[in-house]
Amino acid sequence: MIQSIFMMSRTGEVLIEKHWRGITPRSVCDVFWDEANRYAAKEDAPPIIFTSKYYLISVFRDDIFLIASVTAEVPPLLVIEFLHRIIDIYTEYFGSVEEQNIKDNFS
């Protein structure tokens, strides 16, 4: 299932990371960011990116990327729905999901 989740700002800064099954190196975020920068609009980045060791499944909402690293094949729509639910919870809790709100509450 999901090994780690990273929350990234629109500028590529990792705001939050959570690991469940071992520690996923932050270098996977660099791979994701390189792929996202190939597109003129950040929201056009593909939701699933395959690296040599991980599948990176991402969503982009409110100028925030939420990226799940997965080592085995899982239903991608399940992971995407889970990531959207996380953002929904953050939106309900903070009022809006903005980089500054996250930094204020998680630093």
Side-chain angles (χ1 to χ4, degrees):
M1 198 62 186
I2 296 174
Q3 184 166 349
S4 300
I5 290 182
F6 298 92
M7 184 176 281
M8 292 179 70
S9 69
R10 189 174 183 87
T11 60
E13 177 186 2
V14 176
L15 302 172
I16 302 172
E17 59 185 271
K18 172 66 179 159
H19 306 280
W20 284 283
R21 298 176 179 229
I23 296 178
T24 303
R26 277 194 180 187
S27 60
V28 299
C29 293
D30 296 335
V31 172
F32 171 80
W33 193 246
D34 290 342
E35 183 67 28
N37 281 331
R38 292 182 184 192
Y39 299 89
K42 299 285 189 230
E43 53 271 4
D44 291 339
I48 302 170
I49 298 171
F50 178 70
T51 66
S52 60
K53 191 173 179 182
Y54 301 100
Y55 294 99
L56 302 176
I57 302 173
S58 65
V59 296
F60 180 75
R61 273 181 46 190
D62 301 325
D63 287 341
I64 299 289
F65 282 104
L66 203 57
I67 304 154
S69 67
V70 180
T71 54
E73 289 189 26
V74 296
L77 290 178
L78 174 72
V79 177
I80 289 171
E81 179 66 23
F82 179 70
L83 296 176
H84 277 290
R85 296 288 179 178
I86 291 173
I87 293 175
D88 290 342
I89 291 168
Y90 283 172
T91 301
E92 189 173 321
Y93 185 74
F94 298 126
S96 67
V97 180
E98 296 175 356
E99 183 177 348
Q100 194 58 44
N101 283 352
I102 293 167
K103 285 181 178 180
D104 290 344
N105 288 286
F106 286 95
S107 47

